[in-house]
Amino acid sequence: ADTDVKIVLNEEADLLEPCMATRSNIGRIILENISETLTELDVRGGKGLQPRLAESWAQQPDGSWRFTLRKGVKFSDGSDFDAKDVKFSFDRAMDKSITCETPRYFGGMTVTAKVVDDQTIDFSADPVQPILPLLISLVTIVPEGTPVSFIREPVGTGPYKLTDWTPGQQIVLERRDDYWGAKPAVTKATYLFRSDPAVRAAMVQTGEADIAPSISQLDATNPATDFSYLDSETVYIRLDHSMAPINDLRVRKALNMAIDREAFVGTLVPKGTLLATSVFPPPTLGWNKDVKVPAYDPEGAKKLLDEAKADGVPVDTKLTLVARTANFPNVTEIMEAIQQQLQEVGFNVDLKFYEVAEFEKLYSKPYPTDRGPMLVTAMHDNSKGDPVFSMFFKYASDGRQSGISDPKVDGLIKRASAATGDDRAKLWSELVAYLHDDLAADVLLFHMVGYSRVSERVDFKPTMATNSQLQLSEIGFK
Amino acid sequence: MLTFIRKRALASLISLVGLVVLVFFLSRLTGDPAALFLPEDATEAMRVQFRELHGLNDPVLVQFGRYVWDLFHLDFGDSIRKARPAIDVVLEAFTWTLQLAIITMVLVTAAAIVVGSLAAFRAGGFFDRIASLVSLIGASAPDFWIAIVAIVVFSISLGWVPTSGTGTVLHWILPIAVLFIRPFGLIVQVVRGSMISALSSAYVKTARAKGVRARPIIFVHALRNAMLPVITVIGDQAASLLNGAVVIETIFGFPGVGKLMIDSILQRDFNVVLAAILVTALAIFLMNLLIDIAYAVLDPRIRY
Amino acid sequence: MAEHLLEVRNLSVEFHTAAGVVKAVKDISWYLDRGETLAILGESGSGKSVSASAILDLIDMPPGRITSGEIRFDGKDLLKLSASQRRDINGRKIAMIFQDPLSHLNPVYPVGWQIVEALTTHGVDRVAAHAEALRLVTRVGIPELENALKKYPHQFSGGQRQRLMIAMALAMKPDVIIADEPTTALDVTVQAEVLRLLDELQQETGMGVLIITHDLGVVAEIADRVVVMNAGEIVETGSTREVYKNPQHPYTRKLIGAAPGRGEMHPPLETREPVLKVRDLQKYYSAFHALDGVSFDLMPGETLAVVGESGSGKSTLARILLRLDEPSGGKAFWKGRDLFTLLPAELFKLRRELQMVFQDPTQSLNPRMTVYDLISEAWVIHPEILPRKQWRSRVAELLVQVGLRPEHAVRYPHQFSGGQRQRIAIARALALEPQLIVCDEAVSALDVSVQAQVIDLLDKLRKEMGIAFIFIAHDLPVVRDFADHVMVMQKGKVVELGTVRQIFEAPKMPYTQALLAAGLDPDPDVQAERREARLKLARAAG
Amino acid sequence: MTHNEAMPETPGPITRFARMLWADKFALAAAIFLLVVLVMALIGPAWLDAAAQKQNLRGRNAPPFQLDFGWLWFLGADALGRPLMARIIVATQNTMMVAAGAVVVSAIAGSMLGLIAGYAGDKVSQVIMRVADVIMSFPSLLIAVIVLYVFGPSVTNLILILSITRIPVYLRTTRAEVLEIRERMFVSAARVMGASQKRIIFRHILPVVLPTLTTIATLDFAYVMLAESSLSFLGIGIQPPEITWGLMIAQGRQYLTNAWWLSFWPGLAIILTTLSLNLLSNWLRIALDPVQRWRLEMRGHKNG
Ligand SMILES: Nc1ncnc2c1ncn2[C@@H]1O[C@H](COP(=O)(O)OP(=O)(O)OP(=O)(O)O)[C@@H](O)[C@H]1O
Ligand SMILES: Nc1ncnc2c1ncn2[C@@H]1O[C@H](COP(=O)(O)OP(=O)(O)OP(=O)(O)O)[C@@H](O)[C@H]1O
Ligand SMILES: [Mg+2]
Ligand SMILES: [Mg+2]
């Protein structure tokens, strides 16, 4: 029918497990389409955290959070939605016998849910969590009694229900008539899967699909259908501060100054790409607009290196520039260019590409003991609106992917995590500035831009969130 | 012949067992599925829990014992990523691959034999030169070129066929056409070479003396004598199709076993890898058996 | 002047080779009339087969080239017809029996299929063709009929293959049949049958027969006229009688003079310790007994001729003695050692002492090796025989000894005539200086003059070096001249074994007697008398 | 008497083959092209490495057929503005090393095993063939991942992986032919002369199989050159900034519709190399076959 859409994605969902909805290939299909959450972060209007299945929430004096739930909500299997479902869903997602993604957001704290009545539920966290409502936006709600193991046929409260899944071919969602909220325009959505970006773009062109998220910049040639958007991914080079010569500040600064970031934009990375000053992208809380991208200054870099050398820093040591194959578009060329730019100021750089598993060994702790000084190029995704999802892992002394160990950083992270409101934003900003300007903790490169192709019959504007979710209710027809 | 098949089946069974053992142990040397399945910022607790859940903490021998035990009960284990029986996942994909392989190989075989034989009949002639040139260029060009150019021309510009996917007969045309090219080029060359010698044999003279027409001389008298290397190469090409046509599957969104296998290997989804290898191996073993029988059928001088 | 059925005028054929142009046929002319039999006699390698091939458009051009001439058939010049017109004539109007049946039968199809095809190609329907094929193989005397049609060429004996070839050629009852050495591998009784069959068909259909042969007896038996070729040219033509009684050209005279079967028979040998003892040898092909208890002794320097029915197991015996096939039972001792239980190393030593000349020379020569390589391979394998320096001269010497020329050394097997290949095979066997040579129809494709030369050579070697021969042959005059002992075989069994004199002068067994009686005499008059007598007998019986 | 004078002196094999090569102009062109490739492989990196590595983002994806920057830019520039011509020349060495290495290793190993399997006893043959079955059904990517983890990345390992997967074709083809050829009479004749198994295999059987093997090998060249790049993404073997033609094609893949020259020229290089090898192997097939050789010998002499 005219109100059907076809969406072509780059990879098929392995599962349709609600508790794995934070994984993009699953989330783009089910998040807020089939499985809803209590709260929802609005990226489109910049309105911050919005109610979804919860009508409101407030922090209790003891630091716990009370959520008041929406009435008259039904799951697609006909059962009613109440606080018991919420508790069940949370406990299920945190259960040890199922390896959901949810626990990763609740690391370092213990959270317990307590049903107050059918429409009310309390979440208490130890230590107290100022951003608990934000974290709760990552917990999808399933009906009580859902098996505590991965499922393939999700039941949710969302506006759509799963009607067909032919593995390898398609997934079909159809609109529910008994949805609690406003009726979306799309009646039926068919998801198709093609790994080749050129083919995805072509499918919209030939009318075989209506929406193709993440096409290649090169194929985005038609302004009428192709949209670019900041896609919440940040590319940076993680530096290992425990190794000479990288343990020297001058060397790290030189690394930063040696790279001509501007030159990449519009060439190897698309126009619109932002130069990064932190590992999370701009709309996130605490993004610091005062921190400036280091100027491209090869002469300055050389000078710094000379100084360091004069002080006995072994600047000639071979540095290994590590990257993951096919990590982001043009990764090979970008890395080759960076290698050359570093070499031009006098670094001795070896370039190495690794497959995911091998790369993972170098990227995450425990690092191999026989590693030399490494520059690990990685891409990090944070579309959740708060730096907490990045900073601990990337910079805390015992952060899993941290290359530094700095007491001041540890302290700031701790404080910021516990703070709320403007305070929180300020602390994060301070941390960003400290990392960037004082420590030169790593070589931040780009906030990446994604391209989507949307057929002209469909009214849809991709956003930063399109990477991880694609709400059918946001799609209209022209 | 029957004893031959029986002996052969037994030997194949042994190699199948060998294959399982080999793949099982070797694949476990290649890293930890936990790191790949879990998000990069997963906590250590999650990792431990994951390994526990999938029995990856046990000694490898225990894991192997368990696997074999399950295998005896026709249980190939579950896919870690897909949380469903590995064998279901594999069979789904393999059905597609099998169809694709069979259709392609039938077409390739027929076409390559005709073209190769005709090329050999007038070796060095115009047809020979053109046929060889075209088939060789096709066979040595990168397959994604052909695939993408085919999509641009036939789907986007001409709109004759859909770009990709499955469903209708039209969907099959491009993938098969692209898959066709390399085996075609190779087999044309092998047929041609083999036929040149066969056509200069004395028995071909006899046939000419009998007044046999050119066509039966080529396709009846000479061809059967030239078939041994040809069916071997056909078998080889069929085997690589059975192992999955990755580029085709990737570009045309064809849900075959090739991409499944690659993804599973890269994600260390061992149960799927093992099941996929077992299934394709079974098909390949069977095919090789048929080919070996075909040798003896084609050439009565061959004895086993 | 009336048109002849088939007429060759001024035909010349040459071949291109790496070493230059070989003029195989030089300006020859002859004709054949309806109901007539023309025999082409001539030296081996004189262009007989090539000229026959030219008639059927079988010469590969290039490298071959018909440089001049006409081939007129039915009023048309064949050389000017289109390929498809010639195809229609081939097999239906003109058919050919090839000299070398093994390589000329398609190895991967049952012989029945191949005969049927000769018929269906020209429009006979399949069922009728099958019945006809059955009738044809019956007429050429193949045993186990129905089953035989399903067998493959390699499952037949040399003579049987030749008969299948004949059946195939006769299938369409052609106007002209070209028979290239059609009886070389046939024992005399079968040969007689085949010749009679040709004769009958000729009576029935009035076909013309062109028979290429070196067997003067065959010529005397069936030919009306004779053409004698030497070195690519026709040196003499005339009626059979004329040519035999009054040969003009020296080559013809030499040929007739060389006809075997008139020399002294070998005196009995003094008994010595046998080098080879064969006891109760058995060979089964599933239920079929190809060899059924064969025993004999062989002394050094002795020639044991093995004669007998085609398909009686002679080649099988040879192959088993050389360990090319495994016996199903029995024993054989070479100088006291059990041949069949030798270890590989011992076998290797033994290989030098035992050699074989195969019945199908074409197939036994590696097509990718030059004659020089083929012969000198013996010394590569057994370097102790001859220092490398002398290889070239020794190859040349061997070639000359078997009647070839040293310049042939650089050619490849396919560039030779049937008889020439046979001689290459003999030269190769001699190169090893063995103590026993098994000759399986080793001289059957040679014209009598060359044959005599080769036999003389073998006899000399036998005398001088004590080489023993197992000489499988069907050509009784040759056997008579060369053998010490004769073993007569039938159906896998030895029916009679004795000295030449015993066998030829006082044969005991009826089969031996029949064999001797069926022998042909080179003298056309003698042969005519015998034929007359036979006819009378037949009439009396009928 | 001496016959030495009488035996004609043939021209030495080199002049003979040169003459035959001259007679086939296609093969001659192929030989010259391959010679050029060989020279490039030898001197390319030393000669043009600097030019091939020099990036120039302003000249990125510069279109071909312009001489503004110099002849090295005649084929255009890649995504980093490096001249494609220089890169193709420099890449020749790595490409040839890997491709020739893998093809030669697999062809030799495969055909040797095939000869053994075809000629040796039942047991040995059964073992070899079943192992080949196993290799045939072992996905090459898995072999690659395993080798990568067990032995670490290196060019030798890359060659090893590529060749292991191609062994079965050669093996099976060789064996099939041996089964038939060993029944031929000239093999019996050689046995009667006391030829050792080695001699029979190499002197009598191998020459008959060889042409088919070279035909397969030439096309495998193309296959290996393309497959190599798909393994480099695992981090095995040749990696940027080192280059091979396969890698260049892979890198140019995404530009196929915008800047076709990025992958076209290296693709063309592969096609031309394969084509040349094949033309040459077809020529060799005829040159080595006495029955066919006239095709080459005639042409030189007269317009036949
Ligand atoms: N392809 C060829 N290349 C070169 N020479 C050839 C070729 N074919 C035949 N010849 C030569 O042509 C001559 C005639 O050969 P042909 O086969 O006609 O002899 P023939 O008279 O049938 O002899 P035989 O009685 O031995 O069969 C021979 O000297 C042979 O060497
Ligand atoms: N491979 C085989 N399979 C079945 N039967 C065979 C096979 N080889 C030979 N025979 C049969 O064995 C018998 C003896 O064959 P052999 O070749 O020894 O005969 P021969 O005495 O040499 O005859 P000829 O004089 O015709 O050459 C024949 O009847 C033949 O049909
Ligand atoms: Mg002849
Ligand atoms: Mg015989």
Side-chain angles (χ1 to χ4, degrees), chain C residues 135 139 173 197-207:
Chain C
R135 212 178 54 78
R139 290 193 74 169
K173 302 206 171 58
L197 175 63
L198 284 177
D199 195 42
E200 276 169 33
L201 281 175
Q202 199 165 27
Q203 307 289 342
E204 266 172 48
T205 65
M207 70 177 178

Side-chain angles (χ1 to χ4, degrees), chain C residues 6-56:
Chain C
L6 176 67
E7 183 174 8
V8 170
R9 283 190 202 150
N10 308 98
L11 182 73
S12 302
V13 182
E14 57 184 41
F15 288 97
H16 180 88
T17 71
V21 170
V22 173
K23 291 199 162 60
V25 173
K26 299 174 204 156
D27 199 27
I28 62 163
S29 306
W30 48 255
Y31 65 89
L32 176 67
D33 281 327
R34 207 163 278 282
E36 188 190 35
T37 302
L38 173 69
I40 301 187
L41 271 175
E43 194 186 17
S44 164
S46 61
K48 305 182 294 289
S49 301
V50 168
S51 51
S53 300
I55 296 168
L56 284 151

Side-chain angles (χ1 to χ4, degrees), chain C residues 178-224:
Chain C
I178 301 172
D180 196 352
E181 314 269 16
T183 59
T184 37
L186 303 182
D187 62 288
V188 277
T189 51
V190 177
Q191 169 176 304
E193 273 164 42
V194 166
L195 294 181
R196 198 168 322 131
L197 175 63
L198 284 177
D199 195 42
E200 276 169 33
L201 281 175
Q202 199 165 27
Q203 307 289 342
E204 266 172 48
T205 65
M207 70 177 178
V209 176
L210 174 69
I211 186 163
I212 299 171
T213 183
H214 63 269
D215 189 331
L216 295 178
V218 171
V219 175
E221 165 73 11
I222 66 164
D224 301 309

